[in-house]
């Protein structure tokens, strides 16, 4: 089983991760995202838009079972993070999250 906290920290350190819903949506539209992580408690409008574009582009989506504040804390940030895009996982095994959740 993939440890989300450990994998996310490794991806942030060694890979390329985009934080924030506007930048995440832009990354999905450009087809650069390998995985999207969305906070379960994200604003409904953001959730709908991210889910819609993930379906269109067939980008894997993982719904984090916590709030935007918790996701922000997991990323080591002092602010809310509703969604984030993994462009390059670096040395982490974070892309296995999707395989496990299917």
């Amino acid at each position: 089983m993939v440890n989300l906290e450990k994998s996310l920290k490794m991806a942030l350190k060694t890979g390329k991760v985009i934080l924030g819903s506007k930048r995440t949506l832009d990354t999905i539209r450009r087809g650069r995202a390998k995985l999207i992580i969305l906070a379960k408690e994200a604003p409904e409008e953001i959730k709908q838009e991210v889910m819609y574009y993930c379906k269109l582009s067939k980008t894997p989506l993982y719904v984090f079972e916590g709030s935007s504040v918790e996701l922000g804390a997991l990323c080591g940030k002092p602010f809310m993070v509703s969604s984030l895009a993994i462009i390059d996982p670096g040395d982490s095994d974070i892309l296995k999250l999707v395989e496990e959740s299917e």
Side-chain angles (χ1 to χ4, degrees), residues 18-76:
I18 301 292
L19 303 177
S21 53
K22 285 180 186 154
R23 292 180 66 205
T24 296
L25 284 166
D26 188 46
T27 305
I28 299 169
R29 287 187 199 114
R30 292 171 191 242
R32 294 177 57 214
K34 290 194 171 96
L35 171 67
I36 302 300
I37 298 178
L38 178 67
K40 189 177 185 181
E41 307 287 321
E44 198 57 40
E45 187 181 308
I46 291 171
K47 269 170 61 173
Q48 295 298 327
E49 205 172 350
V50 168
M51 289 172 149
Y52 172 75
Y53 281 108
C54 279
K55 264 194 186 119
L56 271 184
S57 64
K58 294 182 173 57
T59 304
L61 173 69
Y62 177 81
V63 178
F64 172 67
E65 289 296 317
S67 68
S68 302
V69 174
E70 290 171 320
L71 188 55
L74 211 61
C75 295

